[in-house]
Amino acid sequence: MMRKCGGCDHTDLQSLFSLGDIPPVNAFLLPSEVKNEIGYPLELFFCKECTLIQLGDCVPPEKLFSNYLHLSSASESNIQHLKEVADWVAERDSKKLQDKKVLEIGSNDGTLLSFLKNHTANVVGMDPAQNLAAEAKKRGVRTYTDFFLQESAAKLVKTEGQFDWIVALNVVPHTPQFISLLKGARGALAPGGRMMIEGAYVVETILNGQFDTIYHEHVYNFSIHSLNYAMKRVGLQILDVEIIPTQGTSFRVLLARDDDPEQASGNLKKLLGEEKQKGMTDVKTLAKAAEKIKAFPDQLKAKLKELRKKSASPIIGLGAPARGVVILNYCKLNTDDLQYIIDDTVLKQGRLTPGVHIPVAGWDHAPIQPGQVFLLLSWNYRKEMIKKLNQRQIQGTLLIPFPHLEEVKIG
């Protein structure tokens, strides 16, 4: 139980809503493992002191990340995003990146660092997943297998020295001790260095009723207000921030040490003002978003029931990402609703989705009939999925849950 704010240590947290007890969303199961599956509460709390939104209960990170089945390279859209990130870092550097040292926190299978190697040979990653470190090694990426916190960061600096660039994509929100992570990054960042982080942007997700970014790995849901508060606490400063479409809308924040002379761009002040205007700092606004979330399961089930009556074959799920597993569990969908789920990640195929135990398979699992209905669980990769369906000349209907419930004809 973590009923203290992870950003400011405030103890007067207000409950927003609960999604119930759900198993870790990336813990895909073999049939023999179902009997040992454990669910954990998913309840969100709001801190009135620093406006951070966080889970009330935290699953030990070693249970979530030591053998991780989410691969950076599993999606073509994500690969393209990581290429763009590498180019962004290179363009942002005032001097040639080839002379700079780059660290990625949460480096996964080394995909991003393999792209950054086109700009500099001095790259290193840190990730707690042993299985992913092995994948990174195949790409020629040196990886330390550990959680990046203040202590492990200090050890890394003793071995590698400080870094000119630190990149952390969807890592800060996933780290229960994120203040320790940021303090470690402050110590590992060389004078004049830069750090870039990305994560799901709470204003465009939860505030709009998109609850599928709430899962055990994703301990925190940041606004720019809550990020700005945390950075000041650890000796970092926000230089620039932009909102990007990745993962259903994310923030991208450029950071420097607090002793760096560069001044923040106007984007920081602008976004802080927009958040306040939208009510992001007011718990009453968040309570209204909770009502949207509570209404969603009945809306989705009604639409699935309607489409099932029109289809000659059972509905199939498309994609088995973490966000999709959240949707399945919160809406209590199972094999009565979806026959199976198609996912490109080989590590997930032949296993069952956490909690609701729907089989995961590849595209060639079974012939797909004309008029097939799909529930797009990887809705943030909508364009990529529609392209795949068209390439396979599949005709039917695609039900897309977010950003709003939408029915799309394909073929």
Side-chain angles (χ1 to χ4, degrees), residues 335-391:
T335 49
D336 293 332
D337 304 289
L338 302 181
Q339 186 180 28
Y340 65 97
I341 296 171
I342 296 172
D343 192 277
D344 289 323
T345 308
V346 176
L347 292 175
K348 295 179 182 179
Q349 293 170 8
R351 291 176 175 262
L352 305 175
T353 53
V356 294
H357 309 144
I358 300 171
V360 180
W363 285 93
D364 299 325
H365 173 69
I368 295 174
Q369 304 301 319
Q372 177 66 55
V373 177
F374 298 94
L375 174 61
L376 183 57
L377 297 167
S378 296
W379 64 267
N380 51 315
Y381 293 128
R382 169 180 176 152
K383 290 182 180 179
E384 180 181 335
M385 283 297 191
I386 291 176
K387 181 180 178 181
K388 286 183 179 181
L389 291 167
N390 288 332
Q391 287 174 341

Side-chain angles (χ1 to χ4, degrees), residues 284-342:
K284 293 178 181 177
T285 304
L286 295 166
K288 291 179 182 177
E291 292 305 313
K292 294 181 187 177
I293 292 168
K294 289 173 184 175
F296 182 82
D298 288 340
Q299 295 168 358
L300 178 60
K301 287 179 180 179
K303 179 56 71 171
L304 287 172
K305 184 177 180 181
E306 175 190 326
L307 291 173
R308 195 159 51 241
K309 287 179 179 178
K310 299 176 183 178
S311 177
S313 55
I315 297 173
I316 298 172
L318 272 187
R323 65 175 65 236
V325 175
V326 174
I327 293 171
L328 294 173
N329 278 271
Y330 180 53
C331 297
K332 294 181 169 57
L333 303 181
N334 53 36
T335 49
D336 293 332
D337 304 289
L338 302 181
Q339 186 180 28
Y340 65 97
I341 296 171
I342 296 172

Side-chain angles (χ1 to χ4, degrees), residues 173-193:
H174 290 62
T175 304
Q177 298 170 271
F178 84 94
I179 291 294
S180 177
L181 181 153
L182 292 173
K183 286 180 177 178
R186 171 63 170 82
L189 193 62

Side-chain angles (χ1 to χ4, degrees), residues 4-144:
K4 181 172 75 169
C5 178
C8 68
D9 295 329
H10 202 62
T11 55
D12 184 20
L13 304 184
Q14 183 161 339
S15 176
L16 295 177
F17 57 86
S18 171
L19 300 185
D21 287 6
I22 297 177
V25 292
N26 280 299
F28 286 75
L29 306 157
L30 295 171
S32 60
E33 297 171 330
V34 169
K35 62 181 180 296
N36 297 320
E37 188 177 42
I38 300 174
Y40 299 90
L42 271 178
E43 184 176 7
L44 274 193
F45 289 81
F46 175 73
C47 176
K48 290 180 279 188
E49 180 69 20
C50 70
T51 73
L52 181 60
I53 295 175
Q54 67 177 58
L55 295 182
D57 296 84
C58 186
V59 179
E62 57 272 12
K63 286 191 175 183
L64 301 175
F65 298 111
S66 295
N67 185 53
Y68 206 44
L69 299 185
H70 171 78
L71 299 179
S72 295
S73 58
S75 160
E76 185 58 37
S77 293
N78 196 53
I79 291 171
Q80 291 301 319
H81 173 66
L82 296 178
K83 285 180 180 177
E84 185 267 329
V85 168
D87 292 340
W88 185 93
V89 170
E91 290 168 7
R92 275 280 184 167
D93 201 279
S94 59
K95 299 177 182 178
K96 288 185 178 180
L97 196 61
Q98 66 184 27
D99 301 321
K100 303 296 180 68
K101 293 168 61 179
V102 180
L103 166 68
E104 184 183 7
I105 304 171
S107 48
N108 200 271
D109 61 8
T111 300
L112 172 58
L113 289 179
S114 69
F115 294 139
L116 281 165
K117 284 178 70 177
N118 295 325
H119 302 283
T120 174
N122 301 314
V123 303
V124 66
M126 181 174 279
D127 195 289
Q130 296 279 352
N131 62 318
L132 297 184
E135 293 295 319
K137 187 177 181 180
K138 295 176 185 176
R139 291 182 166 86
V141 173
R142 290 191 303 119
T143 305
Y144 289 82

Side-chain angles (χ1 to χ4, degrees), residues 112-247:
L112 172 58
L113 289 179
S114 69
F115 294 139
L116 281 165
K117 284 178 70 177
N118 295 325
H119 302 283
T120 174
N122 301 314
V123 303
V124 66
M126 181 174 279
D127 195 289
Q130 296 279 352
N131 62 318
L132 297 184
E135 293 295 319
K137 187 177 181 180
K138 295 176 185 176
R139 291 182 166 86
V141 173
R142 290 191 303 119
T143 305
Y144 289 82
T145 51
D146 202 350
F147 291 97
F148 188 92
L149 297 171
Q150 201 167 3
E151 185 179 350
S152 58
K155 291 178 181 177
L156 181 67
V157 170
K158 283 184 179 179
T159 305
E160 299 284 343
Q162 291 181 308
F163 295 87
D164 303 295
W165 271 94
I166 299 175
V167 182
L169 307 184
N170 301 301
V171 174
V172 177
H174 290 62
T175 304
Q177 298 170 271
F178 84 94
I179 291 294
S180 177
L181 181 153
L182 292 173
K183 286 180 177 178
R186 171 63 170 82
L189 193 62
R194 295 292 181 264
M195 180 176 181
M196 188 271 272
I197 65 173
E198 288 182 3
Y201 185 41
V202 69
V203 175
E204 299 297 335
T205 53
I206 292 173
L207 204 60
N208 287 332
Q210 295 174 22
F211 60 86
D212 58 339
T213 55
I214 304 166
Y215 45 92
H216 299 105
E217 286 95 327
H218 195 178
V219 182
Y220 300 102
N221 295 269
F222 285 103
S223 62
I224 304 306
H225 271 87
S226 55
L227 275 174
N228 198 39
Y229 188 105
M231 298 309 166
K232 290 178 179 178
R233 183 179 176 187
V234 301
L236 292 168
Q237 59 173 317
I238 296 178
L239 294 182
D240 199 9
V241 57
E242 59 182 307
I243 306 304
I244 58 176
T246 308
Q247 301 295 334

